[in-house]
Amino acid sequence: MAELVIPAPEQVTIPTRDGGAFPVRRIFCVGRNYAEHAREMGHDPDRELPFYFTKPADTVVLNGADMPYPTATKDLHHEMELVVAIGTGGSDIAEADALTHVWGYCAGLDMTRRDLQNEAKKAGRPWDMGKGFDHSAPLGVLVPAQGVDPSRGRIELKVNGQVRQTSDLGKLIWSVPEIIANLSRLVALAPGDLIMTGTPEGVAAVQRGDVLEGMIEGVGEVRTRIV
């Protein structure tokens, strides 16, 4: 084996409830997957095929750690989401088998430089710099899939103790099994992949000093402070 010419990147991991560490391979994100959020962003929430964007693995912020306010924006938004952790990979996964590929779930935040995203939308350009910037994915502790029903349960985000987003997983336009089946027809899913499943309505700007506390019933919490 050839000698590495630079040090190998450190493996990004997130903690699991039982004290383990889950290695993160890729982060896929589903766009506009709650009807009311689609409407508040000016879009029709009909069941068009799901679409995806990505974040690098090293955008993860561990639960409880501070998130630096990013550069190049004046409009940083929160998006509270259910995150699915893939334990068994595959292509063309059948919807009926999709949940057997899930290792677990956690609460997460898809932080967004909304001004950059909106500029990209208007110009017909990719969203990468609006979505995949450093520290843009605060994540909670992963819980094993056994006993978790991803089709129901309250999802909520508070900022400085005030509720900003509240909904139910039952309002997902595309369910977790449908997302896994669809995405696996586009790419071969692999162990370590994360899927952020979309955010409900109520997205808004946050500032330095704000404390974000999210929860998903039956799954857990995510917390970060903007610094």
Side-chain angles (χ1 to χ4, degrees):
M1 180 177 178
E3 182 178 352
L4 297 177
V5 297
I6 61 170
E10 182 178 350
Q11 173 67 61
V12 175
T13 64
I14 52 177
T16 65
R17 186 175 61 187
D18 61 3
F22 184 91
V24 179
R25 186 171 185 263
R26 297 175 292 187
I27 304 174
F28 297 99
C29 308
V30 185
R32 297 197 292 264
N33 202 25
Y34 285 81
E36 291 305 318
H37 173 60
R39 291 189 182 102
E40 75 178 350
M41 301 304 290
H43 298 278
D44 187 334
D46 286 346
R47 272 172 59 103
E48 60 181 350
L49 285 175
F51 69 94
Y52 308 92
F53 55 92
T54 62
K55 292 177 182 278
D58 62 3
T59 60
V60 168
V61 176
L62 297 183
N63 192 42
D66 291 344
M67 176 193 164
Y69 194 97
T71 61
T73 186
K74 296 180 180 178
D75 198 19
L76 175 66
H77 279 211
H78 56 71
E79 296 193 3
M80 180 67 197
E81 312 206 1
L82 172 69
V83 182
V84 179
I86 299 297
T88 305
S91 299
D92 295 314
I93 296 170
E95 185 181 325
D97 299 329
L99 294 185
T100 67
H101 291 259
V102 177
W103 188 94
Y105 303 92
C106 72
L109 289 162
D110 166 20
M111 301 302 292
T112 303
R113 294 195 282 204
R114 190 71 72 200
D115 42 4
L116 298 192
Q117 184 195 28
N118 287 340
E119 289 170 8
K121 286 180 180 179
K122 290 176 183 176
R125 294 172 179 168
W127 297 3
D128 296 59
M129 293 300 101
K131 289 286 193 177
F133 55 92
D134 296 343
H135 314 294
S136 62
L139 300 179
V141 174
L142 269 177
V143 299
Q146 292 75 15
V148 176
D149 180 359
S151 69
R152 57 176 293 279
R154 184 161 59 99
I155 177 171
E156 184 173 276
L157 178 71
K158 294 180 179 179
V159 178
N160 301 326
Q162 300 298 311
V163 175
R164 286 275 191 93
Q165 293 183 266
T166 185
S167 189
D168 193 279
L169 298 178
K171 294 185 178 182
L172 283 165
I173 295 173
W174 291 92
S175 69
V176 171
E178 289 173 328
I179 291 166
I180 293 171
N182 176 266
L183 183 56
S184 73
R185 290 194 288 271
L186 299 171
V187 296
L189 291 176
D193 286 342
L194 301 180
I195 305 172
M196 304 187 78
T197 57
T199 194
E201 69 274 15
V203 300
V206 290
Q207 308 297 329
R208 291 175 180 85
D210 286 348
V211 175
L212 283 61
E213 298 172 295
M215 64 78 61
I216 300 176
E217 182 181 355
V219 173
E221 301 175 349
V222 60
R223 184 185 189 279
T224 191
R225 179 171 59 109
I226 310 299
V227 297

